[in-house]
């Protein structure tokens, strides 16, 4: 509940900032117009966010024929979490990463990069996908779509405030104040967007660990993901940095390291929280991943064959590593 309360406060602050810029443009009526514009843009973002994100990342949908073990794993954990089975996508990218999108659990999708499937163990893949299912369960995908849209709209309105804000007499802050608002408002919106993202990642880690059944799987995955993401480029994310907050770890290399401007909390802090959760958890949790293909992983060459002995081909889905 604390995470939801923090998110609500931050989003209220972003809405107030949006209306303040509208007031600079047209006074009280401008504030109301800005609020109406925010509502329209957010409605469009709510309805089309999943299609837009999946298209921008070049994600390709897979099913029980093209990627049977990934789809089985995701659907099994979705059932465990009490969620409808989401659509499953694969992104052709060497950088290990994943994200979830969709306006609600009934219209949700999860996406994993080929780098994730190639380089992570079965348990780590399960934990990463469980984290993404946790975002769906908590409806974070909707929250982040709305905040991203509002942040972009605030930047646009800040420019309008300077160009069309009327005479200096009509501007409450004067010309200098309006110039400062034009510069600071987008920065403030970005800070709010990133703060919301960080607050939701901790909660998704906790719920994801419960879904997959072992917090240490996710802790291990986060360590490896961060190390590999720092060394391997994600060209799609670099071209569309507004998508960075959606991934489980920051996919960008040229991003600010300062805590205030980070889209993700410190990996060390996330791992510490998961390790504390594991230490406090009762023994005997029922993990998901070992039921799916054994120690070699769900994409290894030794995965179970389909009835008839010929097996099903994993089209374009790399085989997971055999790291233990």
């Amino acid at each position: 509940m604390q995470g939801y309360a923090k998110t609500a406060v931050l989003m209220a602050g972003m809405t107030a900032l949006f209306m303040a810029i509208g007031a600079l443009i047209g006074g009280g009526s401008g504030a109301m117009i800005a609020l109406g514009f925010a509502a329209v843009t957010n409605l469009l973002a709510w309805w089309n966010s999943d299609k837009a994100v999946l298209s921008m990342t070049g994600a390709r949908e897979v099913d029980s024929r093209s990627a049977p073990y990934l789809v089985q794993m995701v659907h099994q954990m979705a059932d465990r979490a009490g969620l409808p089975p989401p659509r499953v996508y694969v992104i052709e990218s060497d950088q290990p990463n994943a994200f979830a999108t969709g306006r609600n659990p009934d219209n949700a999708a999860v996406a994993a990069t080929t780098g994730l499937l190639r380089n992570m163990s079965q348990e780590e893949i399960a934990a990463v996908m469980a984290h993404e299912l946790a975002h769906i369960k908590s409806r974070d995908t909707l929250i982040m779509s709305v905040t991203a849209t509002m942040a972009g709209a605030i930047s646009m309105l800040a420019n309008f405030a300077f160009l069309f804000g009327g005479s200096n007499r009509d501007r409450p802050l004067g010309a200098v104040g309006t110039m400062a608002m034009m510069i600071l408002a987008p920065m403030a919106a970005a800070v709010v967007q990133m703060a919301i993202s960080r607050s939701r990642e901790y909660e998704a880690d906790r719920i994801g660990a419960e879904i997959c059944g072992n917090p240490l799987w996710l802790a291990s995955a986060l360590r490896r993901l961060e190390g590999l993401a720092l060394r391997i480029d994600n060209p799609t994310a670099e071209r569309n940095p507004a998508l960075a907050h959606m991934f489980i770890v920051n996919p960008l290399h040229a991003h600010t390291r300062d805590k205030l401007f980070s889209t993700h909390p410190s990996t060390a802090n996330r791992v510490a929280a998961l390790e504390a959760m594991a230490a406090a958890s009762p023994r005997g949790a029922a993990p998901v991943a070992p039921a799916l293909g054994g120690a070699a992983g769900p994409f290894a060459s030794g995965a179970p064959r389909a009835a008839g002995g010929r097996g099903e081909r994993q089209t374009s889905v790399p085989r997971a590593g055999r790291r233990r």
Side-chain angles (χ1 to χ4, degrees):
M1 293 303 296
Q2 182 179 2
Y4 286 112
K6 182 178 180 181
T7 298
V9 170
L10 291 171
M11 291 188 69
M14 185 174 283
T15 302
L17 182 60
F18 201 104
M19 295 180 67
I21 299 172
L24 277 177
I25 299 174
S29 60
M32 297 310 297
I33 292 172
L35 183 61
F37 180 72
V40 172
T41 54
N42 284 329
L43 178 62
L44 294 175
W46 171 77
W47 188 259
N48 291 310
S49 60
D50 56 338
K51 299 179 182 66
V53 170
L54 293 168
S55 176
M56 291 171 70
T57 57
R60 171 177 54 84
E61 188 169 6
V62 295
D63 55 26
S64 58
R65 293 181 60 85
S66 57
Y69 302 109
L70 175 63
V71 172
Q72 180 189 356
M73 175 187 287
V74 171
H75 287 185
Q76 183 178 344
M77 288 191 296
D79 183 66
R80 179 183 180 123
L83 292 170
R87 290 168 290 143
V88 182
Y89 288 77
V90 170
I91 303 168
E92 295 291 337
S93 173
D94 291 333
Q95 184 190 82
N97 227 317
F99 67 83
T101 186
R103 62 183 181 271
N104 55 42
D106 291 319
N107 296 275
V110 294
T113 67
T114 52
L116 177 80
L117 305 178
R118 184 183 303 117
N119 293 292
M120 310 293 281
S121 72
Q122 176 177 320
E123 291 83 2
E124 289 166 340
I125 294 170
V128 169
M129 302 317 292
H131 172 97
E132 301 308 331
L133 289 171
H135 277 307
I136 295 171
K137 187 177 181 70
S138 299
R139 298 179 183 263
D140 294 336
T141 51
L142 174 60
I143 292 171
M144 295 313 301
S145 295
V146 169
T147 55
T149 303
M150 290 187 72
I154 284 172
S155 298
M156 181 179 67
L157 279 180
N159 289 321
F160 284 169
F162 180 73
L163 296 174
F164 307 109
S167 65
N168 290 342
R169 182 184 61 187
D170 298 329
R171 294 173 175 174
L173 301 179
V176 175
T178 302
M179 176 72 79
M181 175 66 78
M182 183 184 70
I183 297 172
L184 297 177
M187 292 180 60
V191 169
V192 172
Q193 179 188 4
M194 293 171 187
I196 292 174
S197 175
R198 292 194 301 270
S199 71
R200 303 313 303 151
E201 288 302 317
Y202 284 115
E203 185 69 3
D205 285 346
R206 182 187 67 80
I207 297 175
E210 293 175 351
I211 292 173
C212 74
N214 193 327
L216 297 181
W217 291 355
L218 184 53
S220 173
L222 289 173
R223 289 193 193 95
R224 299 196 67 218
L225 283 169
E226 182 181 53
L228 291 169
L230 288 173
R231 300 197 305 269
I232 302 173
D233 289 331
N234 187 328
T236 299
E238 296 289 350
R239 290 193 300 268
N240 302 284
L243 299 178
H245 68 281
M246 299 191 66
F247 288 87
I248 186 172
V249 296
N250 198 326
L252 305 179
H253 290 170
H255 63 276
T256 305
R257 299 297 183 133
D258 186 78
K259 181 178 180 181
L260 184 63
F261 292 95
S262 174
T263 57
H264 294 71
S266 162
T267 298
N269 290 344
R270 295 171 71 181
V271 168
L274 288 164
E275 290 176 340
M277 182 179 176
S281 297
R283 299 293 181 183
V288 171
L292 300 175
F299 304 99
S301 58
R305 294 181 179 273
R310 297 184 63 182
E312 292 184 321
R313 182 171 176 263
Q314 296 276 4
T315 58
S316 300
V317 180
R319 294 181 291 181
R322 296 178 177 267
R323 195 191 72 84
R324 292 293 297 163

